[in-house]
Amino acid sequence: MVKPFDKMEVEITTEEKILIAARKVFIEKGWDGARMQEIADNAGINKALLHYYFRNKEQLFKRVFAGIVSKLIPNLNTIIQSEQPIFEKIQAFIDAYLDFLLANQELPLFVANELSRNANLIVGAFEENGLKPMIGKMVMEIFQAIENKQIRPINPAHLLMNIVSMCVFPFMGRSIFQKVLMQVPEEMYQELLKQRKKEIYEMVYHSIVL
Amino acid sequence: MVKPFDKMEVEITTEEKILIAARKVFIEKGWDGARMQEIADNAGINKALLHYYFRNKEQLFKRVFAGIVSKLIPNLNTIIQSEQPIFEKIQAFIDAYLDFLLANQELPLFVANELSRNANLIVGAFEENGLKPMIGKMVMEIFQAIENKQIRPINPAHLLMNIVSMCVFPFMGRSIFQKVLMQVPEEMYQELLKQRKKEIYEMVYHSIVL
DNA sequence: ATCATATTTAACCAAATGGTTAAACCTTTT
DNA sequence: AAAAGGTTTAACCATTTGGTTAAATATGAT
């Protein structure tokens, strides 16, 4: 049966409502801090219905977690796979990474946290999506760029570590940065974050260019 | 009364045993995941005794947290306050930071985590110790180094962010790095971490030297 | 209308958890 | 030896939490 036009696109299934609520609560509170009741409240339903859709907390969590992981990696892999000169590729990588981070600021801390408490979470997430980050290709290209005298000799693993660190840490360690080290108000910190794309690329560029 | 010699230095008070156990469990499991029973077990006592020494979980946690924070900051402040040329100072900063991190690898994730879930934890820890990181002086000195044409023009806030990011992230985001991005075994990752002192300094040096 | 199926709810349950109590046990002082 | 103080324990309690059950309600098909 066809639904009336004004009800068609707007509708969100209960399952979606639950996943949205669960995502929010899990990210905010972590596995240990998240409460099924709070998820139900956030989804506007009651606990029994929650268990009707997802048998238990673990199943719901895994579903949320897999959903999160599957969002970032394909994005980065396309860039890594692409054919462009090393400096352009690095810049594209930083750009894409920061776009994602700016739109999902609380994600890195959540992922690091859950991953460190449950190592095989990532295995499950990978298996479910069939995606893995292709870091090997990047390492190769850095080696080539060194041979071609495009950049100074540098250990590619550390260069990549440095780039990723500069991208992610201001988000993941936000509480430390903002409250402990810099002690700036929220809006100012957001302003800093927006400048990172440019600042990181310049840092990397100057540190490797010959 | 004086204790017999052979019992003097070795003895650990019950309070110390509790604090050591609590530190371990809190760091490992976080506030939400930590169980008073597990702390008691780890300290080799029972729950009632735990509550005799520390009235409740919160009090015990605050004590542990303050103890952790008070270990890093004085260390860094001495370096920041010291009078040495900019490059030496940066190197000393990286050295000291990495020494601390190598000896306390799980700390950054724990601190970031708890801080992001409870903002005023840090206020309490600061008040209790009267210590705050002196980042202002560092910013000034970077500005001066730019004026003196020692280093290229760069936003000091971002330079510091970059340095701290490269130092801390391989520890804080270890689960992401090791398991997701690099997929290397434990010993190899430890090897990488030990190389960071040199690698980070070289990265920073080349990125700002004129 | 009515039957079947999917959706939603209130009430309930067992286990875990932070915290309490009152009594027992040392160790030192008198 | 007995009083006093701090130290340690087993047993207990109230609340929270993940999860279940059985009944009620809506929705679409016959």
Side-chain angles (χ1 to χ4, degrees), chain A:
Chain A
M1 187 247 185
V2 184
K3 289 174 185 166
F5 182 77
D6 63 312
K7 284 206 171 185
M8 268 184 78
E9 347 258 317
V10 198
E11 244 167 330
I12 302 174
T13 68
T14 304
E15 188 174 333
E16 283 170 322
K17 277 198 296 184
I18 292 176
L19 283 172
I20 291 169
R23 193 188 134 104
K24 188 191 162 210
V25 175
F26 276 131
I27 288 178
E28 215 169 279
K29 306 281 176 74
W31 163 267
D32 288 320
R35 297 286 159 253
M36 293 299 267
Q37 185 61 60
E38 193 180 348
I39 294 175
D41 291 347
N42 257 278
I45 58 170
N46 78 3
K47 226 176 28 166
L49 185 55
L50 196 58
H51 283 86
Y52 174 81
Y53 276 92
F54 299 89
R55 210 175 316 293
N56 54 38
K57 192 179 177 184
E58 194 180 337
Q59 213 172 98
L60 178 55
F61 182 83
K62 277 185 182 162
R63 179 76 174 274
V64 168
F65 195 81
I68 286 172
V69 171
S70 68
K71 270 200 175 175
L72 173 59
I73 297 186
N75 221 337
L76 292 186
N77 274 351
T78 349
I79 293 167
I80 293 177
Q81 233 89 53
S82 73
E83 295 297 331
Q84 21 179 353
I86 186 80
F87 282 108
E88 271 92 329
K89 187 172 266 193
I90 288 176
Q91 190 160 32
F93 184 88
I94 295 171
D95 266 28
Y97 214 158
L98 264 134
D99 280 339
F100 177 80
L101 289 167
L102 281 165
N104 301 275
Q105 304 203 3
E106 346 75 82
L107 235 52
L109 183 56
F110 169 73
V111 173
N113 222 0
E114 299 307 329
L115 228 49
S116 86
R117 294 218 201 311
N118 181 357
N120 28 353
L121 261 180
I122 198 69
V123 184
F126 279 168
E127 275 172 4
E128 201 158 317
N129 302 297
L131 30 88
K132 272 191 186 180
M134 308 279 169
I135 205 126
K137 202 191 177 203
M138 207 90 178
V139 172
M140 284 311 207
E141 287 177 355
I142 293 170
F143 269 130
Q144 273 178 2
I146 294 171
E147 270 180 32
N148 301 347
K149 311 271 181 200
Q150 291 177 276
I151 65 176
R152 73 172 175 89
I154 186 173
N155 182 326
H158 284 286
L159 176 56
L160 288 174
M161 248 181 163
N162 290 340
I163 295 174
V164 174
S165 295
M166 289 189 282
C167 288
V168 184
F169 189 65
F171 297 92
M172 193 156 134
R174 184 225 207 83
S175 55
I176 294 180
F177 257 131
Q178 192 178 339
K179 289 163 200 161
V180 183
L181 289 184
M182 326 206 70
Q183 306 182 0
V184 294
E186 178 62 22
E187 319 85 55
M188 199 177 293
Y189 197 74
Q190 286 296 328
E191 201 45 53
L192 274 173
L193 288 178
K194 278 185 213 146
Q195 301 162 0
R196 297 287 302 157
K197 264 189 200 180
K198 179 175 150 278
E199 293 287 341
I200 294 172
Y201 178 70
E202 275 180 18
M203 180 95 176
V204 174
Y205 175 81
H206 283 103
S207 74
I208 57 175
V209 75
L210 278 179

Side-chain angles (χ1 to χ4, degrees), chain B residues 61-72:
Chain B
F61 181 84
K62 277 185 183 161
R63 179 78 174 274
V64 167
F65 194 81
I68 286 172
V69 172
S70 67
K71 272 201 175 174
L72 173 60

